[in-house]
Amino acid sequence: MNNNKVLEVKDLEVNFRTYAGDVQAVRGISFDLYEGETLAIVGESGSGKSVTVKAIMGLLASNGYYAGGEINYEDINIAKTKEKDLHSVRGNQIAMVFQDPMTSLDPTMTIGKQIMEVILLHQNVSKSEAYQKAVKLIELVGISSPEDRMKQYPHQFSGGMRQRIVIAIALACEPKILIADEPTTALDVTIQAQILDLMKDLQQKIGASVIFITHDLGVVANVADRVAVMYAGRIVEIGTADEIFYDPQHPYTWGLIGSMPDLDTDGDLYAIPGTPPNLLRPPKGDAFAIRSEFAMQIDFEEQPPFFKVSETHQAATWLLHEDAPKVTPPAVIGKRRERLKEV
Amino acid sequence: MDYKDREVLVEVKDLQQYFKLGRHGVVKAVDGINFKIFRGETFGLVGESGSGKSTTGRTMIRLYKPTGGEVWMKGKLASGKIPKEDIAYVNRNMQMIFQDPMACLNPRMKVIDIVAEGIDIHKLAKTKEERRQKVIDIIKLVGLDEQHLERYPHEFSGGQRQRIGIARAMAVEPEFIIADEPISALDVSIQAQVVNLMNELKEHKGLTYLFIAHDLSMVKYISDRIAVMFKGKIVELTTSEQLFAKPLHPYTRSLLSAIPLPDPITERTRRRIAYEPAKEHDYANNPPSWHEVEPGHFILANDQELAKWVALYK
């Protein structure tokens, strides 16, 4: 990992028009993506993590629009770029792997044709060259007898195999940025493990930066260099994987980590009460305050800014303000801090 | 307590569930499994998709007619031709919680009627007021409120709907509940709420659960004993501590090595074990059978394998 920025998201806001009014799905988020790193974005459903990456791909649903902010990739601002100018970027320099490999592949087209389609569209090569490239890609993602596989249809592949093909298509043009939206959620654990290993391996080979969306903290711990935690359309905490897992600062991150048992958990799980807010009318202040036992008066009134914990670690919680009372995080988190000290 | 002295609540004997596939094919979704569930315990059933774990639960509660084998509950037959006098007992005391909290609630029924359906069928309430009061008690037990009674399922969030599903199962005061992936459709923070609720109910009401899931860390957390299924067969069965401390069957070891843990330090040093049944087993000449290697720890293996695997921990 180095410090060359490949993507910069600045104060991004995305809204969706609905009959009830505008849903503010993403409410001003900023982050940078560096060359060769894996940034994981975690959060619950409705936190805005998928909308964020769809906005980066320029793939918002027809009722969605950019309400503010910038997405800077090389010399363009994706939020302001016209659809037809995006074609050279999307699928070529920024590629995406979706959650469900059955719906992202065309059931009426052979696998070979689907891979070649991408290559022929973005690269100036002949059909036979594209064929050779496609065969190599199938081999690369660990599928045997690639030439026979080229002629087969998606239904002849298992779920894990299909996801390998989707990855092959995403990597066909050696993108600078690979976005993976819950790529292993539909798969069994042993297959998931294989796909994660494959993705890490390929990332090193082609040197791409990866944005990895998931709600599974176990997967995050496995793949991520850095982690951004999203809640109610905002990033509440961002830092290196170690900082987020062993020294989290935001009460929501505490709850998220505490509510997942590891193999030594005894007694009650640390559950977060209540449910996420409705983003039609987002609450004032810290959106998590109403569910947080650590909330203070100011949390209900004013949105907390980012407080710096270290060079790489920031959290948006008033608890880090110098005037805030010292609070003891839940026992699970205390244990995690100890664990980091041991190592 | 020695497991042999414990009271057996549910016993599954040689259960088979085959499905016809086209004219000639047969899928052996559950292929002759045996286990006992003790009163007051949570029995976890894990496996990957297609292993037959959900089919086992669904066959036990008679959503399917088993191809072979029997289910017994407290010495009463609970599958196939159940004696007339036992039917009401079995129906009432075995209940189910489903995976998808939206699909399992009738969208046209109010919460009060959903929860009271079992009460009506089993005639547990004599008057309308008593019926309402019973529903209120249960709904409060699962963390909902009287004001929710007249609402319809679509007005609730996923976690709340799952609570309604639990309330419906609890309404007839069953002894045994089959929970088929009750939390996998829920968000992480809501999962913990539902799991804590299930544990509370178990303690207060002395419930017994069959907990079917694929999330191993959650299964370990909630279960007393765990059975691991692979392709319609149980390959290993033991207490949850023992299973994680001394996994014997190569499939169990492979499964355990793949669990993602929210712990970057462990994840960095993780070694995954692959499992390829074709390479691993030589069952053509030497078919496997069910062995008890230590009290309460069972595996499916043939003699050579048995010796080899037990030697792993010597």
Side-chain angles (χ1 to χ4, degrees):
Chain A
M1 193 169 86
N2 55 33
N3 288 330
N4 294 342
K5 249 187 240 177
V6 287
L7 181 83
E8 179 189 49
V9 175
K10 232 158 103 190
D11 302 319
L12 179 68
E13 288 174 30
V14 179
N15 290 3
F16 288 90
R17 292 187 194 95
T18 68
Y19 288 119
D22 277 13
V23 173
Q24 303 171 28
V26 174
R27 303 188 295 145
I29 67 167
S30 306
F31 64 87
D32 300 329
L33 183 69
Y34 298 103
E35 208 174 282
E37 77 162 345
T38 300
L39 172 72
I41 304 183
V42 291
E44 297 176 65
S45 39
S47 61
K49 54 190 195 307
S50 280
V51 175
T52 304
V53 291
K54 288 215 174 105
I56 294 171
M57 288 292 283
L59 284 176
L60 289 177
S62 56
N63 64 335
Y65 64 96
Y66 297 96
E70 301 167 13
I71 303 167
N72 295 320
Y73 173 73
E74 292 190 337
D75 49 1
I76 61 167
N77 174 2
I78 293 173
K80 292 246 161 67
T81 308
K82 285 203 191 81
E83 173 65 26
K84 85 171 192 293
D85 300 327
L86 273 179
H87 287 311
S88 63
V89 176
R90 187 197 298 144
N92 189 17
Q93 299 176 48
I94 307 182
M96 188 153 176
V97 175
F98 295 90
Q99 173 171 350
D100 184 350
M102 195 63 227
T103 47
S104 52
L105 291 172
D106 185 337
T108 66
M109 236 167 128
T110 61
I111 291 297
K113 235 185 166 172
Q114 298 192 46
I115 303 180
M116 282 166 64
E117 189 183 30
V118 189
I119 301 171
L120 287 169
L121 187 68
H122 289 296
Q123 297 172 10
N124 196 9
V125 292
S126 70
K127 248 188 160 169
S128 62
E129 278 172 294
Y131 180 85
Q132 289 310 326
K133 280 197 168 185
V135 171
K136 277 211 185 93
L137 278 165
I138 298 182
E139 233 171 359
L140 186 71
V141 294
I143 296 176
S144 53
S145 47
E147 306 227 339
D148 299 334
R149 288 297 200 169
M150 290 279 284
K151 295 183 207 112
Q152 293 185 334
Y153 289 89
H155 74 266
Q156 292 167 293
F157 289 69
S158 68
M161 289 287 196
R162 271 182 227 142
Q163 199 59 300
R164 284 172 193 262
I165 296 294
V166 175
I167 291 171
I169 293 174
L171 297 180
C173 299
E174 308 210 339
K176 292 220 174 70
I177 301 173
L178 178 67
I179 296 175
D181 188 357
E182 306 254 13
T184 59
T185 309
L187 306 174
D188 281 323
V189 276
T190 48
I191 311 294
Q192 165 172 293
Q194 291 169 12
I195 296 289
L196 292 180
D197 285 347
L198 173 73
M199 287 187 69
K200 282 194 283 191
D201 195 36
L202 294 177
Q203 182 192 5
Q204 290 207 323
K205 272 191 196 146
I206 66 169
S209 311
V210 175
I211 301 180
F212 202 106
I213 305 280
T214 178
H215 64 272
D216 186 334
L217 290 172
V219 172
V220 176
N222 183 292
V223 299
D225 299 309
R226 288 195 306 139
V227 182
V229 182
M230 279 191 79
Y231 184 76
R234 286 205 165 103
I235 291 179
V236 295
E237 185 160 4
I238 185 165
T240 66
D242 281 1
E243 284 164 341
I244 298 293
F245 278 97
Y246 300 116
D247 190 22
Q249 301 293 333
H250 197 284
Y252 177 65
T253 318
W254 293 346
L256 207 56
I257 290 174
S259 57
M260 229 185 125
D262 56 25
L263 297 178
D264 314 310
T265 309
D266 263 337
D268 271 4
L269 289 177
Y270 178 78
I272 308 174
T275 48
N278 183 346
L279 293 180
L280 257 175
R281 281 169 291 276
K284 241 174 113 187
D286 186 347
F288 186 62
I290 194 158
R291 300 173 73 186
S292 169
E293 58 179 298
F294 304 99
M296 297 173 288
Q297 191 58 42
I298 188 163
D299 280 313
F300 294 96
E301 284 159 15
E302 207 174 318
Q303 163 66 25
F306 269 111
F307 291 94
K308 233 183 192 172
V309 184
S310 77
E311 268 317 300
T312 48
H313 189 185
Q314 297 178 55
T317 167
W318 286 114
L319 290 176
L320 291 172
H321 191 269
E322 52 191 11
D323 296 339
K326 281 266 164 284
V327 296
T328 326
V332 224
I333 304 301
K335 261 194 226 155
R336 286 183 163 265
R337 289 189 178 156
E338 293 301 312
R339 173 139 168 74
L340 187 61
K341 275 181 212 151
E342 282 168 28
V343 181
Chain B
M1 187 162 50
D2 192 356
Y3 79 101
K4 281 190 170 140
D5 304 333
R6 296 185 61 174
E7 183 194 344
V8 175
L9 183 70
V10 177
E11 182 165 9
V12 171
K13 278 186 186 163
D14 232 353
L15 193 68
Q16 293 173 322
Q17 182 69 59
Y18 298 174
F19 294 107
K20 278 205 185 107
L21 200 71
R23 208 185 288 172
H24 302 292
V26 168
V27 177
K28 297 182 174 178
V30 176
D31 195 10
I33 61 170
N34 292 285
F35 59 87
K36 292 173 184 166
I37 301 177
F38 302 127
R39 174 179 290 284
E41 79 170 342
T42 300
F43 187 89
L45 194 57
V46 295
E48 307 203 321
S49 46
S51 62
K53 57 188 192 307
S54 282
T55 307
T56 305
R58 297 174 77 98
T59 305
M60 283 172 73
I61 201 157
R62 314 211 312 279
L63 285 172
Y64 305 131
K65 198 167 155 264
T67 313
E70 288 161 353
V71 179
W72 291 77
M73 196 170 166
K74 256 179 139 183
K76 297 181 169 78
L77 188 64
S79 65
K81 274 214 155 22
I82 303 172
K84 228 180 182 170
E85 62 271 24
D86 293 343
I87 278 208
Y89 169 83
V90 172
N91 282 349
R92 181 175 162 189
N93 282 291
M94 196 188 286
Q95 294 292 323
M96 191 154 183
I97 304 170
F98 295 89
Q99 171 172 3
D100 184 343
M102 192 66 232
C104 75
L105 303 175
N106 186 338
R108 298 185 183 198
M109 279 167 81
K110 289 179 185 163
V111 170
I112 180 166
D113 297 319
I114 291 173
V115 176
E117 205 173 8
I119 297 178
D120 298 342
I121 289 168
H122 293 283
K123 301 191 177 66
L124 301 178
K126 288 187 188 68
T127 61
K128 241 185 153 179
E129 289 72 46
E130 193 188 346
R131 175 181 187 258
R132 190 181 168 84
Q133 192 52 49
K134 276 207 159 165
V135 175
I136 291 173
D137 292 345
I138 294 154
I139 215 107
K140 283 194 175 148
L141 197 67
V142 299
L144 293 173
D145 205 14
E146 195 176 340
Q147 54 159 348
H148 294 125
L149 286 186
E150 309 294 329
R151 296 194 192 164
Y152 290 91
H154 75 264
E155 297 174 68
F156 295 90
S157 67
Q160 284 175 317
R161 277 182 217 143
Q162 197 55 289
R163 286 170 194 267
I164 298 170
I166 294 174
R168 173 178 60 184
M170 296 286 304
V172 293
E173 297 171 11
E175 294 181 70
F176 177 55
I177 289 185
I178 298 173
D180 185 6
E181 305 251 14
I183 53 168
S184 41
L186 306 174
D187 266 320
V188 197
S189 73
I190 312 295
Q191 284 186 0
Q193 292 175 11
V194 171
V195 164
N196 283 347
L197 170 68
M198 285 181 66
N199 273 340
E200 253 167 58
L201 292 176
K202 177 185 163 194
E203 259 164 55
H204 291 182
K205 303 270 167 178
L207 284 172
T208 305
Y209 291 123
L210 174 66
F211 188 86
I212 301 168
H214 66 272
D215 177 350
L216 279 153
S217 29
M218 199 53 104
V219 174
K220 164 149 204 266
Y221 170 72
I222 199 169
S223 312
D224 302 297
R225 290 191 305 144
I226 298 175
V228 181
M229 271 187 94
F230 180 72
K231 294 209 169 150
K233 289 192 157 67
I234 294 183
V235 295
E236 187 155 2
L237 192 173
T238 182
T239 61
S240 50
E241 293 84 39
Q242 176 84 356
L243 188 79
F244 279 75
K246 280 191 187 178
L248 288 176
H249 197 278
Y251 177 66
T252 316
R253 280 184 270 141
S254 150
L255 202 58
L256 296 189
S257 78
I259 315 174
L261 291 173
D263 188 348
I265 297 171
T266 332
E267 285 294 326
R268 268 175 228 139
T269 53
R270 164 187 299 283
R271 294 215 70 79
R272 299 188 201 285
I273 305 167
Y275 175 60
E276 286 168 56
K279 281 187 199 160
E280 196 75 48
H281 307 293
D282 178 23
Y283 286 160
N285 311 317
N286 202 349
S289 54
W290 197 227
H291 293 276
E292 184 167 12
V293 279
E294 273 175 55
H297 189 162
F298 300 87
I299 53 169
L300 186 71
N302 64 27
D303 302 335
Q304 296 151 354
E305 288 176 330
L306 192 65
K308 196 170 93 193
W309 296 342
V310 171
L312 282 175
Y313 296 98
K314 289 270 162 64

